[in-house]
Amino acid sequence: MEAIGTGAAANVSSETAKGIFHQVKRHIRYVIFYQKFVDKFEQKHRTLIAKRTSVQQDVDVAERNGEKIKADVLDWRRRVDEAITEKEKKVKELEVKATTKCFFGLCPNIKSRYQHSRKAEKDAATFDELIKECQFERVGYPDVAEPIIHTDFEAFKSREEVFNDIMESLKDATTSMIGVYGMAGVGKTWLVKEVERQLHEVEVKLFDSVVRATVSQIPDIKEIQDQIAYSLGLKFEENSPYVRARKLYGRLRKEKNVLIILDDLWKKLDLEEVGIPFGSQHKGCKILLTSRNQNVLSNGMDATKTFVIVDLDDEEAWEFFKKMARDSFESDEELRSTAIKVAKKCARLPLALAT
């Protein structure tokens, strides 16, 4: 029994000794291979700085192209900057101590070398992790363009009721397509731009997105697609109108509530050809149309509601004309007489009066 006990004790002592030896060996290597750890730190440091520079070059290109930088790229760049600044400072401090001789300058400072070497290994590992994380296929993504907000809208008293009716119709869940019609120059585009402005500025958003496209007398399907896509931050790489329509359709379907303003319709527009989901295809999609012809809206496009914009009354037309001319004729009776005739020739149309 005594022999067994002695053997067991010897085994324990042997294992303990091995453990202590490995611990000593692990720590003493920081002194023996001091330069190796420092060199590895510097190599990882140079590689990380090169990666950081490369990513920044990609970021600069993306920003010049109007893209927003991805959150993971920004986070990686921040952590790299912090790591480089912090690690450089601490390692430099330890390096100074490590190069200071001890014992009257006859031998290296063992303690400082150990600390410096160990810190260099730890920081090199941190750098290596950051280098491995730098696997960005793209650093940016297309930014949704901020709409150009027109603030020069003239709120004519005679049009307040129509404007308010249009805004209420947009809130009505049973109304999916609204039409605004009136003769050329009466201010239809002006009015729908003001609708767009107010929808963008309200605190409680009625729509997640509001996009606008001009259709014109001879519709260019690809141009209409481009206008809508630009507002949504969507880029087309395809040339086929059909393929582009499917892509736009899928993108619009991702919007929970979206208003599409189609300005200046002259005839029926095929929404499917453009790529606009409507009705049962996307109940959250509403469409606001403008045209000179009510028949295009009611019969061609099957608008749920239509609103007519008429010319101004005489007093509004004259006051607007004076505002545009900045009362420059008020002190000259002959010029005032001419101004009245010009204003009448404008047929109480805002566009003509402003021009």
Side-chain angles (χ1 to χ4, degrees), residues 96-109:
V96 171
K97 292 180 180 178
T99 53
T100 303
K101 303 284 186 178
C102 66
F103 196 65
F104 304 104
L106 298 177
C107 64
N109 190 323

Side-chain angles (χ1 to χ4, degrees), residues 144 200 207-211 231-232 251 255 257-260:
V144 177
H200 277 296
F207 298 97
D208 299 319
S209 295
V210 179
V211 299
S231 297
L232 295 169
R251 176 64 182 83
E255 297 289 328
N257 294 295
V258 58
L259 174 65
I260 301 174

